[in-house]
């Protein structure tokens, strides 16, 4: 990390600066060479560490750079209000080369506009809409508005109508698509009772966004149409593209693009032109030629072209509902643009085919609605068996891709809720007998869409990383699956890449298993706080005791008292391994009793057999005929109804590769 640049995590709970813009940096008081207890650093102190001096120096440098940024930001805002030059303002912001502090610029711009006339308020709204995403990262915009809401109590001292004006700025940002509607609820829930920020949120939601024709009213509140509104620009873009597709007059289309005077919104032209090319095959050649010419004449720069294609990639799943072969068409258009030299394909993330594959759009759409209903019901009841029953009725085995969709939906819904639901989601994930590949695909879809999720769930990095790490600790995923989920296609600065790095960091930490298991206060179950390793140890001991002459009823009681029915597959797994290693059939009778009394369900039986199947190659190193024995146990289990007749395992393996003879 370059401390000279300062660092702002995507998790807004870990911002580098707190209180009123400064004073605390990364939790450290910014007081020169003084430590947290107000003692000066003394090199002769036996507890003195040179690294502490380095840390203090780094903090001092960060604080200095931030102070410089604040001064420059104020000057840029003043100049913008004087000149009304969006392009120059955007270039000055870029020249600062401190994107991690952009949230402060957002806050400063709006707070200064709030104390001025309608003209400056409209100018501020237009500037934010113009430079959103291209100059200022969406997360920084989100954070800037968040800080404004949090400081409403201070702002109202100097600006009496803060509640109304700030509410209107928030409503305008929502209408201009630079702030997600979810911002309102999230901030209202996060603010302390009695805070003025709550009044701001309520005014924005009920006073502005709920009104009839609210978009038009909000956009024209400060004189609107001083510059074109976002909706006006979008309508003009549509008109010029439709007219061009009919007439083929490229010179006139180029002139219209120039007349729009929205260089930081050219990505919308690219996006709409490509979508039109996908919808109107006959117009494809003309539209691609227009974009190529606009690129060659430097009318639309490469950044805007890449951004336009990226927007389509982000919305491709929704687009596929109206254009069935949207992914294939988009892939084709990307290839053509890249071959003609006006698109850098390597700058784009890959078009994901993982969610639907061969599944029809109508099937996926219908299943998503059912999955959401099943998960919401589960969050109310906590009934894992009912979830399994509902999923079985959906016959997911015939369409395995839907399991990945369910995993994604489960975690998405949990991330937007409290710790209780997050814990329940992890418990459910470890209780479902989903093949590892389907779980991997579900997490892959989440990682690939993490940048978009971050707009609605700012703490997506920490939450999703914890879900990944928890899945590894719960044996739902193997550590190597993290590499597969990354796929090597993620950009270094993407939110998905941050998630993977944090997940690996969590797993590498000391006592990681226990900490991760207790991350949401559950410890793997709603009634106890045992770590998974402790539970495995308990299971091993009770099986050893039973094997040496213990009572079946007592063993069943001990299994029940573990209070972790979703982990009973571990009992099955360890029992089968013991039978194979020691050819001890006595434990089979214990499994029989557990199944007959309902302690171990068919789902947990299947999951336990599946776990053994996955580790057979390693087991064969110690027990050469392990596969043969396991095959017999599988047939035996099918006969007594423990396993579904469709259960199978890989009977073939290269004996030389695994160190055993084939059976």
């Amino acid at each position: 990390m370059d401390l000279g640049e300062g660092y702002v995590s995507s998790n807004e709970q870990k911002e580098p600066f707190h209180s009123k813009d400064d004073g605390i940096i990364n939790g450290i008081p910014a007081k020169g060479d003084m430590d947290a207890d107000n003692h000066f650093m003394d090199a002769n102190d036996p507890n003195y560490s040179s690294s502490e001096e380095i840390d203090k120096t780094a903090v001092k440098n960060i604080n200095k750079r931030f102070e410089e940024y604040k001064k420059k930001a104020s000057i840029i805002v003043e100049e913008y209000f004087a000149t009304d030059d969006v392009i120059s303002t955007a270039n000055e912001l870029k020249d600062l080369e401190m994107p991690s502090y952009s949230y402060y610029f957002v806050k400063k711009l709006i707070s200064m506009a709030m104390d001025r006339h309608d003209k400056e308020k409209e100018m501020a709204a237009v500037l934010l809409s113009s430079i959103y995403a291209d100059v200022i990262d969406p997360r920084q915009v989100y954070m800037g508005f968040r800080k404004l809401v949090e400081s409403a109590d201070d702002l109202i001292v100097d600006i009496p109508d803060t509640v109304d004006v700030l509410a209107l700025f928030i409503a305008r940002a929502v209408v201009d698509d630079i702030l997600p509607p979810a911002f309102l609820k999230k901030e209202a829930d996060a603010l302390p009772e009695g805070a003025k920020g709550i009044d701001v949120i309520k005014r924005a939601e009920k006073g502005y966004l709920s009104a009839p024709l609210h978009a038009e009213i909000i956009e024209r509140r400060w004189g609107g149409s001083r510059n074109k509104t976002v909706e006006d620009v979008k309508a003009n873009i549509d008109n010029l593209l439709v007219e061009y597709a009919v007439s083929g007059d490229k010179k006139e289309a180029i002139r219209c693009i120039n007349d729009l005077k929205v260089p930081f919104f050219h990505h919308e032209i690219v996006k709409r032109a490509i979508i039109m090319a996908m919808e109107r095959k006959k117009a494809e050649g003309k539209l691609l030629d227009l974009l190529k010419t606009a690129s060659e004449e430097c009318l639309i720069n490469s950044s805007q072209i890449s951004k336009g294609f990226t927007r389509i990639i982000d919305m491709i799943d929704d687009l596929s509902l109206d254009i069935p072969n949207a992914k294939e068409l988009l892939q084709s258009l990307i290839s053509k643009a890249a071959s003609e030299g006006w698109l850098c394909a390597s700058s784009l993330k890959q078009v994901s085919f993982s969610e639907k594959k061969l599944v029809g759009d109508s099937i996926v759409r219908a299943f998503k609605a059912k999955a959401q209903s099943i998960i919401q019901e589960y969050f109310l009841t906590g009934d894992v068996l009912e979830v399994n029953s509902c999923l079985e009725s959906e016959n997911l085995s015939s369409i395995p891709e839907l399991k990945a969709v369910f995993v994604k939906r489960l975690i998405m819904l949990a991330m937007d809720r409290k710790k209780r639901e997050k814990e329940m989601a992890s418990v459910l994930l470890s209780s479902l007998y989903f093949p590892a590949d389907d779980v991997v695909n579900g997490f892959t879809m989440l990682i690939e869409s993490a940048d978009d999720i971050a707009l609605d769930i700012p703490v997506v990095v920490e939450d999703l990383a914890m879900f990944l790490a928890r899945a590894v600790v719960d044996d739902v995923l193997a550590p190597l699956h993290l590499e597969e989920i990354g796929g090597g296609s993620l950009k270094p600065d993407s939110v998905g890449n941050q998630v993977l790095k944090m997940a690996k960091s969590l797993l590498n930490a000391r006592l990681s298993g226990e900490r991760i298991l207790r991350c949401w206060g559950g410890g793997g179950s709603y009634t106890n706080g045992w770590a998974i390793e402790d539970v495995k140890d308990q299971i091993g001991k009770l099986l050893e005791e039973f094997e040496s002459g213990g009572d079946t009823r007592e063993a069943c009681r001990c299994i029940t008292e573990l209070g972790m029915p979703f982990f009973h597959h571990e009992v099955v797994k360890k029992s089968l391994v013991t039978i194979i290693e020691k050819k001890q059939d006595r434990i089979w009778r214990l499994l029989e009793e557990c199944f007959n009394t309902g302690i171990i369900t068919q789902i947990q039986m299947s999951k336990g057999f599946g776990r053994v199947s996955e580790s057979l190659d390693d087991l064969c190193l110690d027990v050469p005929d392990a596969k043969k024995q396991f095959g017999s146990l599988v047939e035996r289990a099918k006969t007594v109804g423990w396993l579904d007749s469709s259960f199978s395992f890989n009977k073939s393996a290269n004996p030389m590769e695994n160190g055993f003879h084939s059976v």
Side-chain angles (χ1 to χ4, degrees):
M1 178 179 73
D2 180 6
L3 288 172
E5 283 294 321
Y7 175 72
V8 175
S9 166
S10 63
N11 174 10
E12 296 180 349
Q13 294 177 342
K14 296 185 178 178
E15 299 159 7
F17 300 95
H18 300 275
S19 76
K20 298 179 183 177
D21 302 329
D22 55 3
I24 295 181
I25 305 176
N26 287 336
I28 304 173
K31 297 183 180 180
D33 293 329
M34 297 178 70
D35 65 15
D37 295 319
N38 296 329
H39 296 305
F40 285 94
M41 303 292 290
D42 183 0
N44 296 318
D45 191 318
N47 295 318
Y48 170 80
S49 169
S50 60
S51 63
E52 292 180 34
E53 191 71 49
I54 294 172
D55 289 342
K56 297 300 176 184
T57 302
V59 169
K60 192 173 181 180
N61 289 338
I62 293 173
N63 195 37
K64 183 179 178 182
R65 283 180 65 80
F66 183 54
E67 289 299 326
E68 291 174 0
Y69 182 91
K70 287 165 67 177
K71 292 176 184 176
K72 291 177 180 177
S74 298
I75 294 171
I76 292 173
V77 173
E78 289 285 4
E79 288 181 352
Y80 171 65
F81 286 154
T83 64
D84 194 11
D85 191 335
V86 172
I87 296 177
S88 295
T89 303
N91 289 332
E92 286 180 29
L93 269 176
K94 284 182 176 179
D95 290 343
L96 291 181
E97 295 184 341
M98 288 188 270
S100 299
Y101 302 138
S102 295
Y103 72 91
Y104 178 81
F105 179 83
V106 175
K107 179 182 177 184
K108 192 66 177 176
L109 172 68
I110 294 175
S111 60
M112 288 177 68
M114 286 171 63
D115 203 23
R116 302 203 179 196
H117 299 294
D118 284 355
K119 176 191 172 188
E120 285 81 7
K121 293 182 178 72
E122 176 67 16
M123 288 173 67
V126 169
L127 177 63
L128 284 180
S129 178
S130 301
I131 63 178
Y132 174 77
D134 193 57
V135 179
I136 298 183
D137 185 88
R139 286 167 289 171
Q140 292 287 317
V141 173
Y142 190 107
M143 192 187 301
F145 274 98
R146 180 182 174 204
K147 285 195 169 290
L148 280 162
V149 172
E150 290 173 348
S151 60
D153 292 275
D154 297 324
L155 289 170
I156 205 167
V157 175
D158 299 315
I159 308 171
D161 57 349
T162 287
V163 172
D164 185 66
V165 178
L166 184 51
L168 188 51
F169 265 112
I170 291 171
R172 176 66 177 267
V174 172
V175 169
D176 286 349
D177 289 329
I178 65 173
L179 198 63
F183 173 89
L184 301 171
K185 185 177 185 305
K186 289 182 184 301
E187 286 309 303
D189 292 342
L191 289 166
E193 189 176 348
K196 282 294 177 187
I198 294 178
D199 295 335
V200 172
I201 297 295
K202 287 180 179 177
R203 181 73 59 86
E205 185 174 17
K206 297 179 180 177
Y208 291 111
L209 293 171
S210 298
L213 302 175
H214 67 271
E216 185 176 350
I217 294 171
I218 291 168
E219 286 181 334
R220 302 187 187 281
R221 177 63 183 271
W222 292 317
S225 298
R226 184 196 63 79
N227 281 348
K228 297 181 179 70
T229 65
V230 172
E231 290 306 314
D232 291 335
V233 174
K234 288 180 178 179
N236 287 339
I237 291 172
D238 280 337
N239 290 337
L240 79 85
L241 289 175
V242 170
E243 187 175 329
Y244 169 70
V246 173
S247 69
D249 190 343
K250 187 163 57 177
K251 186 176 291 188
E252 175 63 14
I254 293 292
R255 185 190 66 76
C256 289
I257 293 173
N258 254 318
D259 287 347
L260 287 174
K261 298 188 185 304
V262 286
F264 293 103
F265 206 58
H266 282 171
H267 59 85
E268 189 70 16
I269 298 173
V270 177
K271 184 184 90 171
R272 288 173 182 261
I274 294 300
I275 291 175
M276 189 178 289
M278 293 164 68
E279 292 173 331
R280 307 183 184 188
K281 191 65 179 174
K282 291 181 179 179
E284 178 186 308
K286 289 181 184 177
L287 292 164
L288 291 180
D289 188 44
L290 174 64
L291 293 179
K292 180 183 178 183
T293 301
S295 172
E296 290 173 345
E297 294 182 4
C298 298
L299 178 58
I300 301 180
N301 64 40
S302 59
S303 172
Q304 290 290 309
I305 289 173
S306 295
K307 188 174 174 183
F309 275 94
T310 298
R311 287 289 174 89
I312 300 175
I313 292 172
D314 290 340
M315 61 185 288
I316 194 64
D317 286 333
D318 293 328
L319 204 56
S320 296
L321 300 178
D322 299 316
I323 308 173
N325 57 338
K327 291 189 177 182
E328 291 76 11
L329 288 172
L330 178 58
Q331 198 70 60
S332 172
L333 292 172
I334 289 173
S335 299
K336 289 178 182 178
S339 65
E340 291 176 359
W342 53 275
L343 171 66
C344 178
S346 61
S347 67
L348 306 177
K349 59 184 180 183
Q350 293 182 349
V351 180
S352 171
F353 289 83
S354 57
E355 182 164 339
K356 292 188 178 69
K357 291 185 180 177
L358 302 176
V359 184
D361 294 326
S362 59
I363 295 175
V364 172
R365 195 162 56 245
F367 178 73
K368 280 183 177 179
K370 290 179 182 177
Q372 180 140 337
S373 176
I374 291 170
I375 295 165
Q376 288 173 337
E377 182 73 18
Y378 167 66
F379 285 156
L380 290 173
T381 66
D383 192 338
V384 175
L385 294 179
E386 179 62 22
V387 175
N388 280 314
S389 176
C390 291
L391 290 178
E392 281 179 8
S393 68
E394 293 297 323
N395 193 24
L396 297 190
S397 58
S398 63
I399 313 177
E401 291 89 347
L402 295 183
K403 294 176 183 175
V405 174
F406 184 84
V407 171
K408 179 183 177 183
R409 183 65 55 180
L410 171 66
I411 293 173
M412 280 285 292
L413 289 174
M415 285 197 296
D416 207 23
R417 299 198 177 204
K418 296 180 180 179
K419 287 185 176 181
R420 173 183 174 272
E421 285 81 6
K422 292 184 176 83
E423 174 67 16
M424 291 177 73
S426 286
V427 168
L428 179 59
L429 196 59
S430 68
S431 307
L432 300 171
Y433 182 48
F434 283 1
D437 286 346
D438 293 330
V439 179
V440 167
N441 288 337
F443 274 107
T444 299
M445 289 190 285
L446 283 162
I447 291 293
E448 289 175 350
S449 57
D451 289 274
D452 295 327
I453 297 172
L455 298 178
D456 292 324
I457 307 175
V459 294
V460 65
V461 174
E462 287 68 21
D463 278 359
L464 189 48
M466 191 60 80
F467 270 113
L468 261 176
R470 176 67 178 268
V472 173
V473 170
D474 285 349
D475 287 335
V476 175
L477 296 175
L480 285 176
H481 283 139
L482 296 184
E483 303 300 329
E484 187 178 341
I485 290 170
S489 61
L490 295 173
K491 292 182 180 179
D493 60 343
S494 68
V495 176
N497 198 46
Q498 293 176 41
V499 170
L500 285 170
K501 284 184 177 179
M502 179 168 283
K504 292 173 184 176
S505 176
L506 289 168
L507 289 165
N508 289 332
R510 185 170 174 270
L511 299 175
S512 62
E514 184 173 350
R515 289 180 180 178
I516 292 168
L517 196 67
R518 299 173 191 272
C519 61
W520 290 308
S525 117
Y526 310 124
T527 57
N528 62 56
W530 286 350
I532 290 292
E533 291 305 317
D534 293 336
V535 178
K536 288 181 178 179
D537 186 53
Q538 290 286 337
I539 291 171
K541 287 179 179 177
L542 75 86
L543 289 178
E544 286 178 10
E545 187 174 329
F546 175 76
E547 186 186 358
S548 61
D551 180 63
T552 303
R553 184 172 297 177
E554 176 64 16
C556 288
R557 185 187 65 77
C558 290
I559 293 171
T560 303
E561 286 185 352
L562 286 174
M564 301 179 79
F566 59 87
F567 205 60
H568 285 171
H569 60 84
E570 186 69 17
V571 176
V572 179
K573 174 188 168 185
K574 286 186 178 293
S575 297
L576 294 174
V577 170
T578 300
I579 293 170
I580 291 172
E581 287 180 338
K582 300 182 179 180
K583 294 181 173 58
Q584 170 61 268
D585 200 56
R586 173 180 166 81
I587 290 185
W588 184 270
R589 293 199 295 275
L590 174 61
L591 292 179
E592 192 172 40
E593 180 67 19
C594 288
F595 184 80
N596 291 338
T597 56
I599 295 174
I600 298 180
T601 65
Q602 187 181 51
I603 291 172
Q604 291 294 314
M605 279 288 187
S606 297
K607 195 170 181 180
F609 273 85
R611 288 284 196 264
V612 177
S613 176
E614 291 167 2
S615 61
L616 267 181
D617 287 346
D618 292 332
L619 192 58
C620 285
L621 297 176
D622 299 318
V623 185
D625 66 340
K627 288 198 174 186
K628 183 177 180 180
Q629 285 195 63
F630 183 66
S632 299
L633 293 175
V634 168
E635 294 306 316
R636 191 174 171 187
K638 287 181 180 179
T639 302
V640 294
W642 297 359
L643 296 177
D644 187 84
S645 59
S646 62
F647 183 91
S648 62
F649 71 101
N650 182 19
K651 299 179 181 180
S652 61
N654 188 329
M656 298 310 296
E657 285 182 357
N658 295 291
F660 61 86
H661 299 288
S662 59
V663 294

